[in-house]
Amino acid sequence: MEKKEMLQILETDDFGFIDSIFQSAYETKLEYTGNKVYFRGIIEFSNLCTKDCFYCGIRKSNVSLKRFSMTQDEIIEAALFADKSGYGSIVLQSGERTDEEFVSFIEQLIETIKQRTNNRLGITLSLGEQAADIFKRWHSAGAHRYLLRIETSNKKLYEHLHPDDHSYDKRLNCLDVLRDIGYQVGTGVMIGLPYQTNDDLANDILFFEKHDIDMIGMGPYIVHNDTPLAKSVTFDPQKNFLLGLKMIALARLHLKDINIASTTALQALDARGREEGLKAGANIIMPNITPVKYRNFYRLYEGKPCLDENASLCQSCLDERIQSIGEKIGYSQWGDSPHFFKRTGKMPKTD
Ligand code: SAM
Ligand code: SF4
């Protein structure tokens, strides 16, 4: 796809044209990744964070927030729920910490989950920037995918959204290190950020291509009132929602064989947001399986959905929603990115 075409799609408000784009992105998804949706049960296990991103509700300077960390047993229980429910994979996500106590906690956790599920559960990590040897330790322990959003591929905008001690180049370098170690590499951006242009968004898609990304987890930016960024913008949820769907469609049309998540932020802006994401070309859903008692403390943005819905309730509601749009669920399958196998020549795990 030419950048010119991407811009045309990002700019248009002709709904007939937009529908036809979503339709052809959906057909591309069917052709390259099939008609299955794969689940990654996400466990948001701690809101302790050493960083201070200007947009995020759990940034370290937000003192109005009660901090929590789940125990190994609590996390393992959630992982076993995912396994029993046929989710196939989990995502372990938290604020960023690089201390040895945290690193070995994660290492042990991965080993135990792998052992207790007889290697049935695929494990994705989303634990921020780490040194290469830490990424390696977690990979050796059994994690095989890593999600680290670049947040925006525009370095100047990145610098505007983060304090001076956060580094775009360091984050970018982590993506290369992860690939060299052998992870399936995921990244993504926030869509509709203050000062972000359509040109930036088209460049984000080209960035994913240039860095040979296997999986994408991107979603609309949503304001959190206790963050510095909230003060600098008028937030337009409808605009960001539509842009979020358009970006999924563009990523599918341009990159074809990657995994793309229909993220919770879409659902936060529209009750049927995740289904709309699937219809625009996404093939991954990340049901929240964090115990309800912790969910309120992992509020990255306003209006985060399912704060009081336990994992079993979420499950039956999701099954119905996915089947209602004619998709099948890849129960108990890893559903890895076909792009990863193409670029590495490796064989997929037989489920
Ligand atoms: N700390 C790790 C990191 O930053 O990579 C993982 C957890 S962090 C909460 C996961 C993602 O949440 C970030 O990459 C960011 O894109 C997203 N996020 C944070 N604040 C957000 C907001 N206000 N709106 C939408 N997404 C947000
Ligand atoms: Fe911490 Fe991640 Fe939030 Fe940044 S986005 S403040 S690193 S949890």
Side-chain angles (χ1 to χ4, degrees), residues 49 51-53 55-56 58-60 94-96 151 300:
C49 188
K51 296 186 92 180
D52 226 2
C53 310
Y55 42 82
C56 178
I58 63 170
R59 62 197 295 269
K60 74 171 172 194
S94 72
E96 188 173 307
E151 313 298 1
L300 310 178

Side-chain angles (χ1 to χ4, degrees), residues 125 128-130 132 135 146-153 167-189 204 207-208 210-215 343:
L125 301 178
E129 294 160 33
Q130 304 288 341
F135 284 144
Y146 205 103
L147 181 60
L148 183 73
R149 288 184 175 180
I150 192 70
E151 313 298 1
T152 168
S153 62
S167 159
Y168 176 89
D169 291 333
K170 185 173 170 214
R171 205 160 176 90
L172 185 56
N173 183 252
C174 284
L175 294 176
D176 292 336
V177 172
L178 287 164
R179 180 179 314 96
D180 291 347
I181 292 171
Y183 280 98
Q184 289 180 38
V185 183
T187 193
V189 294
D204 290 340
F207 172 95
F208 302 148
K210 182 172 167 206
H211 293 275
D212 213 4
I213 292 303
D214 303 309
M215 7 180 253
R343 81 170 164 80

